[in-house]
Amino acid sequence: MLTDTLESIINVVSGFVGLYSLYLSTLPKVHNHPYGHGKVEFISASLEGALFSIAGALIIYEAIANLRLSETSTQIDYGIYLVSITAIINYIVGFFAIKKGRKTHSVALIASGKHLQSGHLFNHRFVVGLIVLYFTGFHGWIV
């Protein structure tokens, strides 16, 4: 659940970075940017990819650390509902972001949409794990 929270925080940060890059990319040409500010979207997309990679590394680290602990989870059913709802919302918002990004030729918006949809795929796997945990009571190995 904590890793999903981390991923959600990364979504919010990258969303704000994406929105700010869209604002910057619409600024008019000036003498020190004679071709406009459109390339800022590529920087935004790169930053979003880096944030996603860092979140993935932290999630893997936490997963390995939690395999070594013998703690049991409580209220798994609430976790299933919460993560499922989040997954659906992420997918829908990602779909519309990609659609709008393709329409406006915005790399940053497409990257944000794909990031949200990739989080959706992670959430599905997480829900399957929670369902198995809920019905079997299996809480992992003690290493």
Side-chain angles (χ1 to χ4, degrees), residues 20-132:
Y20 186 65
S21 74
L22 288 175
Y23 163 74
L24 289 177
S25 69
T26 61
L27 292 176
K29 298 176 186 179
V30 291
H31 77 285
N32 62 343
H33 292 102
Y35 300 106
H37 298 84
K39 291 191 179 197
V40 74
E41 290 187 50
F42 293 107
I43 295 169
S44 170
S46 299
L47 179 62
E48 191 169 334
L51 287 172
F52 190 61
S53 297
I54 291 168
L58 288 172
I59 288 169
I60 290 170
Y61 173 80
E62 284 292 320
I64 292 170
N66 285 332
L67 282 174
R68 294 183 176 162
L69 300 175
S70 62
E71 296 178 13
T72 58
S73 302
T74 59
Q75 297 182 332
I76 296 171
D77 52 342
Y78 292 122
I80 294 169
Y81 299 134
L82 185 63
V83 174
S84 297
I85 291 168
T86 304
I88 292 167
I89 291 170
N90 279 344
Y91 185 81
I92 292 170
V93 172
F95 173 80
F96 285 113
I98 291 170
K99 185 176 177 180
K100 186 71 169 180
R102 287 183 179 148
K103 184 176 179 181
T104 61
H105 304 289
S106 168
V107 176
L109 206 51
I110 292 171
S112 293
K114 289 189 178 199
H115 179 218
L116 285 170
Q117 287 188 334
S118 67
H120 169 263
L121 294 174
F122 168 77
N123 286 344
H124 274 292
R125 294 179 189 129
F126 190 55
V127 167
V128 169
L130 287 175
I131 290 170
V132 169

